[in-house]
């Protein structure tokens, strides 16, 4: 712990800033100070205003009120370029890469090393990229285009891009949401290194072990307002949660034991060249099956193929004894399948459309009357579900893209829960969801399972896997390496299988 | 194909009144020219003639028309003219049939319709001012090319679009003409279509030269094609080896006549064409003409003309231009 | 972008196939004069395609190029006809300036208005064409009105290669170098690939888009000058309908119509391919009524072939991916 | 193609744009009625409405296609080919009823070819339909060559130009209006309509939601072809002339009307009322200006400026109503 008495002047100070979008007040009257060499964590529920603050620091939004000081000088960040020039590096909550550019150019756009006559030195560019990725323990081909990277890889590239900036202030908005423990740990090490070099860090996460493992100070936001700022060692997770939510939160993994019924979903020998090979599993009513593995193990690709959005080369999928035709999500839905995809912005939602249009999208025909669909019906339905999942939104007619990340995730959950599926497939269901809602989601999963739903869950959060699953299927590089019983599994056995060393646990 | 410009037998409303050659010209006649396409240099020259004629009989003149040559947009212009109560409509039709309905409505509303340059079906207009009879055009061009290649050799034709009616009529008549014993040694080996576009005409000229290495001459009965072919030949290895003639304006070809690429070519004077059309329209509207065969009238300084069969008035044989005469003209 | 360019391979394959086929039917298709003519014919389209590529890369489109070409061609010819003493470089500069002004107008409307380029340039297509028509008022400028040395530019050769083709090649190489090896050039790809990410990365998107349109306009102006020199006859309809040809050349050349990928060499090959299709049909004396249908079919075949090659290569890359071994 | 930033006001602005467009239409009509001789007559109204039929008819399916983020530029060529085939079949003695049905079926087939290339082979619609634009037009020439078939029975040609509702509206316009109303309901109040908007904004998310994206797009292209075929039948009978070049250039007018109607070229946004107002505004303005003897050049300039205004004005409206703070 650094010595607080020798604290240098603040690197950045936000003073009573506010920001509204139309009728929605995202941030009101928040002050925040970042010190060199210290990690400052920001905690708050979904929609509390964390990302809005980040966007102000990134020069994306201009505050409606309040001031920003850099090294004691009042500054206005007119645009992202200005923020970058001021030495602020930002990792945004939703990675936004250039799909057509190589990973190297994604990292170094506009800053490529140049040689003679100002021409880009591609060799140096590649070397710098490799080095930067190595810091995070990632081995991605620098020349590979960013298109097709998994969410986690995208997140890693986004992180590497920010780290490669020669910045004094690092702002990280849920950088670990898509990462598994290994990568997250490596990132933590890098962050500590940055601090040692005197950088100031603003760190946002919904995972308390990360916050308490890293942060020197913790600020809590609620409903866009500042609640408290304290040194981390004077707080406990429980106090933070109480300040965030304003009440106590129930148990995180309230798994109620159920007696599994008939097999509903049966997958045998599923293979897609280049992605996964010979995957077989079955799920019974009332059962929660978790697919575990490292990032890029192919879990998402398996569930996408099962649901029919991706093709597969071999194998069969059977639902309630009937084979499911390949490549047809509509058929899968008719058979009672639902898939909450991992990438909510690309796959889960139509960001430009309103919340009510999004929630209705999976049940257009069912909501129609005499073939006609009215906004009124969609709205009533959307209100029902947003209330149930406690979504914070500025009205169901607002575009889904204006919701905070966690609230967007809830809309995706809502639109699939509303189909009343027999088999619910969840890919990273709680990515970016705050702790209160996470408990809510978990409670709902248990409840649904108890009511006889079969659930398949892909998760990179080991505690979630261990806490929720009845059985765990572990994947490694596209192959199943172990099937473990949920209650008996430990972090060690799962990790061993995930790294390709099942060690007789199967 | 008898479904295009060909005048159908007995078509059209019979003239109801008797022509009175001495009837006074109606004052304040409104004359409207409707070319295939406005801003086309050829029609701009024709318009000049129309304007001059209209000034002579103290009418009001205007030119309207689409910016691209299409029958449907001509229809909406005819409708507009009908709405405006125009007395004389002089039109060069993009389609012999498609404008018929609209022209007949215009006539029902009291307008007289004169076609020039490109005719409609005979029953939809009162008179057609033919720039030159097709036989004249074909004969002139055959004479020119025969003279230039010394009476023997392979020739090719570079036309406009494959569906240009007058082009096709001329080409057919040229083939007939060439069938005469005097031209026994001349053979048409190909007909190419440059679509009246510079680039396409260039490419087609090249294609002709490439696929017929013994080509002695090219006839292009369209101004764009002739100018493009001349420009291509003048800058290629074929300059001086392949003869070129056809229909073109003196201004476009002056350069190539002087540099020897084109020895001679032919065309009527579009200004005279417009002039005659306007005068004929005025005569019709005033009752001096009804459009019946054999009637005569005087068209200003162009002199006297006689209405031929099917209401056609011919301007006269085309003029031939060569190095000696090309500089006397400006159009 | 540092890998092999499969997208260009597709067009190149189609081009070679076409040339081989035509030459087999008529060997004179490969004569010196014929090749010269082909290069000459392709030059103007290539210059336009180079400009269009830059714009399309930024996820925009410039439909006004045909009209800009017409305006510039008429402007240059009119200047030379009415002031015969004008030095040629000055006249060329005048044409390019006309184009640059049009491009600047497009760019300003699009970037400051934040509106789709397709709509704006469809609008300026009409406006500029109308302007050219009212300027020309039915006049035509003919070879005889133009100075001899200017007309000679259209046919001159250097070491047997047409000057116009050399000029077009120089334009393509310069643009290719810029797009491939300079930061600002790479930023064009970034803008087209993901505008939101470009904004976050601090790329001056507005300025770059304006530059792209300025370049496209200037090159269309240059193409207008070349047009006047080559054809010697200019009226206000010069270049009418050219926009679809240019877009076709760019797309056939493998430039993604929604931005972010493709290369100017590909577009140049596309322009060459389209021109070659026209020349081949003329040389092969394909029935004139069939020609247009064949052109359309060949365009479809070219983009189809390109897509086939791309997916084949991608599939091969995926199958040989290191992470996962292939099923036995 | 998420080029539009998620704006909280998108839908609202669009609705305002609709009403602004309708207001402009009324204003133009009123001004023309007062200021232009011969505009406010029953006969002119007939002419005007008849002129709007072909554009209006084709604009309907094109609107749906553009809303899904694709485009069909081959509509005018489809119209031409169907017209040519119609002429050919009629001269070879088929009964006219059968000829008309065949023409519409042919249109559907041509649309299916577009759809196959776009959804089956995954090629960009712009590129594909530029190709088929050339190919279909070319085939029309192959079928009918330079001929024009004109001898359609008077009863039929009169019926197409005739009136309904006690002589108040052209019958063809009535049919178009009913079709437009049907399309409006389809687009704005049915499950299919909802999925079109979803596809246009984010095809991937639509697919993940169980919407058959490719199949939907395919059938849209088919119906677009069929409607274009129907427009070809109308065109042929209206002008009593089946020709290979019928409707040439109509595609740009249709696209212009659709964009003027406020449909986003990037897909996902637009209303059918806006498009109808756009079509009528274009046609009315042309008619009034023609009657006022405004030259064709100026007409082009006005059309172009209108298009540019159509996208700039809503932006200006939004900008006036909120100070720019967001730059996502
Ligand atoms: N562009 C926008 N337009 C309208 N409302 C917005 C916009 N951006 C954010 N909001 C609203 O502002 C509030 C705060 O959002 P923000 O993204 O800052 O939350 P967050 O704390 O980052 O939540 P999460 O943990 O879910 O990421 C939310 O209610 C959101 O709906
Ligand atoms: N469309 C694609 N094109 C190319 N490669 C892809 C594509 N989608 C995924 N990949 C790669 O395939 C591998 C498996 O990805 P997948 O998303 O299935 O992994 P995962 O086990 O779900 O892990 P994650 O936690 O990242 O979701 C990754 O290396 C990813 O980069
Ligand atoms: Mg957030
Ligand atoms: Mg995954």
């Amino acid at each position: 712990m650094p010595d607080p008495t020798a604290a240098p002047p603040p690197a950045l100070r936000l003073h009573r800033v506010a920001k509204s979008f139309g009728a929605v007040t995202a941030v009101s009257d928040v002050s925040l100070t970042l010190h060199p060499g210290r990690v400052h964590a920001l905690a708050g529920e979904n929609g509390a205003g964390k990302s809005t603050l980040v966007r102000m620091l990134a020069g994306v939004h201009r505050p409606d009120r309040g001031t920003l000081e850099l090294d004691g000088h009042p500054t206005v960040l007119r645009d992202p370029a200005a923020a970058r020039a001021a030495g602020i590096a930002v990792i945004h909550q939703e990675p936004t890469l250039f799909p057509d550019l190589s990973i190297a150019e994604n990292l170094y756009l506009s800053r490529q090393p140049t040689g003679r006559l100002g021409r880009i030195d591609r060799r140096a560019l590649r070397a710098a990229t490799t080095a930067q990725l190595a810091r995070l323990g990632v081995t991605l081909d620098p020349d590979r285009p960013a298109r097709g990277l998994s969410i986690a890889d995208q997140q890693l590239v986004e992180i590497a891009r920010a780290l490669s900036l020669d910045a004094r202030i690092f702002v990280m908005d849920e950088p670990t949401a898509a990462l598994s423990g290994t990568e997250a740990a490596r990132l933590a090490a890098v962050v500590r290194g940055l601090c040692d070099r005197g950088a100031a860090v603003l760190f946002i996460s919904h995972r308390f072990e990360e916050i308490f493992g890293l942060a020197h100070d913790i600020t809590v936001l609620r409903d866009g307002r500042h609640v408290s700022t304290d040194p981390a060692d004077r707080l406990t997770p429980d106090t933070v949660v109480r300040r965030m939510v304003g009440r106590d939160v129930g148990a995180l993994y309230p798994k109620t034991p159920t007696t599994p019924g008939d097999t509903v979903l049966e997958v045998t020998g599923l293979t897609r060249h280049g992605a996964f090979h010979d995957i077989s599993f079955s799920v019974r009513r009332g059962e929660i099956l978790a697919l575990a593995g490292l990032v890029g193990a192919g879990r998402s690709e398996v569930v996408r193929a099962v649901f029919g959005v991706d093709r597969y080369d071999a194998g069969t999928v059977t639902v309630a004894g009937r084979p499911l035709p390949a490549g047809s999500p509509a058929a899968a839905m008719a058979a009672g399948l639902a898939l909450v995809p991992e990438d909510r912005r690309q796959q889960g939602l139509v960001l430009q459309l309103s919340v009510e249009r999004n929630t209705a999208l999976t049940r257009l025909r069912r909501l129609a009357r005499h073939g006609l669909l009215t906004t009124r019906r969609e709205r009533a339905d959307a209100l029902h579900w947003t209330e149930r999942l406690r979504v914070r939104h500025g009205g169901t007619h607002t575009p889904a893209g204006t919701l905070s990340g966690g609230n967007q995730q809830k809309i995706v959950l809502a639109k699939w829960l509303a189909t009343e599926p027999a088999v619910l497939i969840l890919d990273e269901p709680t990515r970016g969801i705050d702790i209160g809602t996470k408990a809510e989601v978990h409670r709902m999963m248990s409840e649904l399972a108890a009511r006889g739903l079969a659930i398949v869950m892909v998760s990179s959060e080991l505690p979630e896997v261990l806490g929720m699953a009845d059985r765990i299927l572990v994947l490694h590089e596209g192959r199943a390496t172990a099937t473990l019983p949920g209650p008996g599994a430990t972090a060690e056995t799962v990790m061993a299988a995930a790294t390709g060393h099942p060690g007789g646990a199967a | 194909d008898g479904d295009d410009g060909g005048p159908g037998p007995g078509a059209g409303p019979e003239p109801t009144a008797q022509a009175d050659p001495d009837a006074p010209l109606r004052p304040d006649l409104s004359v409207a020219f409707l070319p295939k396409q406005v801003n086309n240099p050829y029609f701009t020259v024709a318009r000049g003639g129309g304007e001059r004629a209209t000034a002579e009989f103290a009418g009001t003149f205007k030119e309207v028309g689409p910016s691209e040559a299409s029958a449907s947009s001509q229809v909406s212009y005819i409708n507009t003219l009908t709405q405006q109560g125009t007395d004389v409509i002089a039109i060069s039709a993009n389609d012999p049939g498609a404008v018929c309905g609209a022209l007949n409505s215009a006539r029902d509303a009291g307008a007289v319709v004169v076609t020039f340059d490109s005719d409609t079906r005979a029953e939809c207009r009162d008179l057609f001012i033919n720039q030159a009879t097709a036989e004249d055009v074909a004969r002139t061009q055959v004479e020119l090319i025969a003279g230039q290649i010394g009476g023997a050799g392979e020739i090719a034709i570079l036309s406009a679009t494959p569906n240009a009616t007058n082009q096709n009529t001329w080409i057919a008549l040229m083939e007939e003409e060439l069938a005469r014993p005097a031209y026994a040694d001349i053979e048409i080996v190909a007909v190419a279509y440059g679509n009246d576009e510079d680039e396409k005409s260039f490419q087609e000229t090249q294609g002709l030269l490439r696929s017929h290495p013994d080509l002695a001459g090219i006839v292009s009965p369209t101004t764009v094609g002739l100018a493009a072919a001349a420009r291509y030949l003048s800058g290629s290895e074929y300059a001086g080896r392949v003869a070129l003639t056809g229909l073109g304006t003196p201004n476009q070809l002056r350069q190539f006549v002087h540099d020897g690429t084109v020895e001679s070519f032919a065309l009527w004077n579009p200004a005279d064409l417009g002039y005659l059309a306007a005068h004929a329209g005025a005569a019709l509207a005033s009752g001096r003409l009804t459009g019946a065969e054999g009637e005569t009238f005087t068209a200003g300084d162009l002199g006297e003309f006689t209405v031929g069969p099917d209401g056609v008035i011919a301007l006269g044989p085309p003029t031939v231009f060569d190095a000696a005469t090309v500089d006397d003209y400006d159009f | 972008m540092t890998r092999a360019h499969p997208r260009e391979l597709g067009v190149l394959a189609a081009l070679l196939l076409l040339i081989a086929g035509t030459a087999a039917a008529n060997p004179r298709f490969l004569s010196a004069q014929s090749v010269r003519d082909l290069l000459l014919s392709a030059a103007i389209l290539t210059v336009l395609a180079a400009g269009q590529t830059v714009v399309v890369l930024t996820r925009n489109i410039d439909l006004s190029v045909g009209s800009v070409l017409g305006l510039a061609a008429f402007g240059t010819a009119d200047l030379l006809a009415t002031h015969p003493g004008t030095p040629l470089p000055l006249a060329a500069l005048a044409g390019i300036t006309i184009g640059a002004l049009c491009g600047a107008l497009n760019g300003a409307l699009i970037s400051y208005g934040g509106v789709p380029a397709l709509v704006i340039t469809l609008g300026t297509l009409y406006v500029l064409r109308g302007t050219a028509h009212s300027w020309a008022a039915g006049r035509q400028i003919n070879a005889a009105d133009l100075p001899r040395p200017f007309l000679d530019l259209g046919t001159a050769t250097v070491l047997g290669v047409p000057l116009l083709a050399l000029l077009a090649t120089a334009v393509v190489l310069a643009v290719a170098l810029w797009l491939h090896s300079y930061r600002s050039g790479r930023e064009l790809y970034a803008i087209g690939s993901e505008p939101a990410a470009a904004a976050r990365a601090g790329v001056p998107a507005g300025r770059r888009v304006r530059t792209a349109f300025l370049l496209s306009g200037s090159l269309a102006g240059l193409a207008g000058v070349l047009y006047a020199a080559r054809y010697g006859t200019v009226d206000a309809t010069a270049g009418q309908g050219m926009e679809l040809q240019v877009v076709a050349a760019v797309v056939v050349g493998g430039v993604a119509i929604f931005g972010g990928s493709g290369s100017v060499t590909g577009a140049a090959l596309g322009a060459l391919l389209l021109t070659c299709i026209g020349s081949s049909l003329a040389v092969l004396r394909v029935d004139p009524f069939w020609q247009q249908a064949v052109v359309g079919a060949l365009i479809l075949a070219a983009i189809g072939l390109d897509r086939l090659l791309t997916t084949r290569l991608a599939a091969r890359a995926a199958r040989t991916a290191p992470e996962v071994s292939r099923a036995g | 193609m998420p080029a539009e930033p998620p704006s909280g006001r998108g839908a609202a602005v669009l609705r305002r744009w609709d009403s602004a467009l309708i207001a402009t239409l009324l204003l133009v009509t009123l001004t023309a009625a007062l200021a232009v001789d011969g505009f406010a007559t029953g006969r002119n109204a007939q002419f005007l409405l008849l002129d709007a039929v072909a554009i209006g008819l084709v604009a309907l399916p094109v609107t749906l296609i553009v809303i899904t983020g694709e485009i069909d530029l081959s509509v005018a060529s489809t119209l031409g080919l169907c017209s040519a085939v119609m002429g050919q079949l009629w001269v070879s003695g088929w009964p006219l009823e059968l000829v008309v049905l065949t023409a519409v079926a042919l249109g559907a087939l041509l649309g299916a070819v577009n759809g196959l290339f776009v959804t089956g082979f995954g090629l960009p619609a712009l590129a594909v339909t530029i190709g088929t634009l050339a190919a279909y037009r070319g085939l029309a020439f192959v079928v009918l060559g330079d001929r024009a078939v004109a001898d359609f029975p008077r009863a039929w040609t009169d019926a197409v130009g005739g009136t309904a509702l006690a002589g108040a509206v052209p019958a063809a316009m009535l049919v178009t209006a009913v079709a437009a109303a049907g399309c409006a309901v389809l687009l704005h109040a049915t499950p299919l309509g909802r999925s079109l908007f979803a596809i246009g904004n984010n095809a991937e998310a639509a697919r993940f939601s169980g919407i058959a994206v490719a199949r939907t797009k395919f059938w849209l292209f088919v119906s677009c072809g069929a409607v274009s075929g129907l427009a070809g039948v109308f065109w042929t009978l209206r002008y009593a002339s089946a020709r290979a070049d019928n409707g040439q250039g109509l595609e740009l007018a249709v696209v212009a009307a659709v964009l003027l109607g406020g449909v986003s070229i990037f897909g996902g946004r637009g209303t059918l009322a806006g498009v109808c107002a756009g079509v009528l505004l274009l046609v009315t303005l042309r008619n009034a200006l023609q009657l006022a003897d405004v030259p064709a050049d100026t007409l082009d300039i006005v059309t172009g400026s209108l298009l540019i205004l159509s996208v700039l004005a809503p932006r200006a409206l939004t900008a006036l109503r909120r100070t720019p703070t967001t730059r996502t």
Side-chain angles (χ1 to χ4, degrees), chain A residues 140 144 147-153 178 180 272 274-276 293-302 304 342 427-428 458 460 475, chain C residues 318 323-324:
Chain A
L140 284 168
R144 182 205 153 137
R147 189 182 301 285
L149 285 180
S150 70
I151 281 285
D153 286 341
S180 64
R272 180 173 153 177
F276 50 83
L294 297 182
V295 161
R299 300 160 298 172
S300 298
E301 303 207 314
V302 169
R304 285 209 304 263
E342 68 176 332
D427 196 350
E428 311 283 1
V458 175
S460 295
L475 264 56
Chain C
E323 308 100 320
V324 185

Side-chain angles (χ1 to χ4, degrees), chain A residues 21 26 46-52 55 93 174 206 402-406:
Chain A
F21 302 95
N46 293 137
K50 304 180 293 295
S51 297
T52 306
R55 280 186 223 124
Q93 182 173 10
E174 304 196 26
H206 288 297
T402 63
L403 264 55
S404 80

Side-chain angles (χ1 to χ4, degrees), chain C residues 15-80:
Chain C
L15 183 62
L16 294 179
L17 222 65
L18 182 69
I19 292 178
T22 313
N26 184 346
R28 267 185 303 279
F29 187 62
L30 289 180
S31 74
Q33 173 77 36
S34 174
V35 171
R36 229 174 4 247
D37 288 341
L38 188 65
L39 292 176
L40 209 50
S41 299
I44 292 173
L45 190 59
T46 306
V47 169
L48 288 175
Q52 190 70 253
T53 304
V54 174
V55 169
V56 170
L57 282 180
T58 64
R59 198 180 281 195
N60 283 297
I61 195 165
D62 187 352
L63 289 184
S64 71
V65 285
S67 299
V68 175
L69 183 149
L71 201 61
F74 191 82
T76 312
D78 196 32
L79 178 69
L80 284 169

Side-chain angles (χ1 to χ4, degrees), chain D residues 209-266:
Chain D
S209 304
I211 293 168
V213 175
R215 180 144 40 99
T216 308
K217 283 185 180 175
F218 176 81
W219 286 108
L220 278 185
F221 277 103
V222 172
S223 49
C224 190
V227 173
S228 303
L230 188 66
V233 170
F234 163 76
W235 193 286
T236 310
L237 293 177
R238 151 118 214 254
Y239 298 113
S241 172
R243 286 174 58 122
D245 65 351
N246 270 351
Q248 198 144 22
L250 193 74
E251 65 276 348
L252 283 193
V254 169
V255 170
V258 169
L259 297 181
L260 180 64
V263 176
S264 163
I265 191 66
F266 298 112

Side-chain angles (χ1 to χ4, degrees), chain A residues 96 100 110 112 122 141, chain C residues 3 180 183 187 193 200:
Chain A
T96 325
D100 299 290
S110 307
Q112 296 99 330
R122 281 171 193 272
D141 176 3
Chain C
R3 297 188 167 176
H180 188 256
R183 287 177 178 172
E187 285 176 355
S193 188
R200 274 192 192 172

Side-chain angles (χ1 to χ4, degrees), chain B residues 80-317:
Chain B
T80 305
L81 292 174
T82 310
Q83 277 305 106
Q84 292 170 331
T86 310
D87 300 313
V88 178
I89 298 178
I91 176 177
S92 171
N94 279 317
D95 179 309
V99 290
C100 267
L103 284 179
N104 278 331
S105 319
R107 291 164 79 196
D108 290 344
V112 298
V113 173
V114 178
T115 55
F116 67 103
D117 179 72
S118 186
D119 200 7
T120 60
R121 292 208 303 267
E123 74 260 25
C124 349
R125 45 83 174 157
D126 298 291
L127 280 177
F128 169 49
I129 313 298
N130 197 348
Q131 55 272 44
T133 62
E135 291 79 10
D136 277 343
V137 172
R139 191 177 329 109
T140 311
Q141 293 189 90
V142 169
E143 276 167 15
L144 288 177
I145 194 70
Q148 291 180 17
I149 63 172
E154 293 185 348
I155 62 167
I157 292 173
L158 176 65
S159 176
T161 52
N163 57 330
T165 317
N166 48 1
Q167 295 278 326
N168 292 333
T169 315
W170 294 333
I171 294 170
L173 288 170
M174 281 166 74
E175 281 167 351
E176 264 176 45
E177 181 76 14
L178 283 167
R180 288 182 24 210
Y183 300 122
D185 295 333
I186 301 180
E187 187 200 352
I188 296 185
V189 290
V191 180
Y193 299 89
N195 289 356
D196 271 356
E197 289 164 17
D198 292 312
E199 177 58 39
K200 185 91 166 69
S201 303
F202 260 57
Q203 283 192 345
E204 290 297 331
T205 311
Q206 292 161 13
L208 286 174
L209 296 167
R210 229 58 94 222
S211 36
H212 302 284
D214 299 325
L215 204 64
I218 297 177
V219 183
S220 181
T222 166
T223 56
V224 177
L226 183 56
R231 174 86 181 117
Y232 174 71
L233 282 182
S234 74
S236 79
E237 62 182 20
Y238 302 98
R241 296 209 336 242
V242 177
L244 176 66
T245 189
L247 303 178
T249 69
N251 282 352
Q252 268 186 312
L253 293 167
R254 184 165 296 121
Q255 163 93 22
F256 306 109
V257 169
H258 289 315
D259 74 9
T261 312
V262 177
E263 198 180 298
S264 55
F265 63 97
L267 195 69
W268 49 89
N269 187 338
D272 289 347
L273 186 64
Y275 184 82
L276 179 55
H279 268 297
L284 273 172
S286 311
R288 287 184 176 181
L289 282 179
T290 61
E293 185 171 352
E295 292 172 351
T296 60
F297 82 109
T298 310
D301 47 26
L302 279 184
E304 202 178 70
F305 288 85
T306 306
V307 179
D310 295 317
V312 177
I313 297 178
L315 178 64

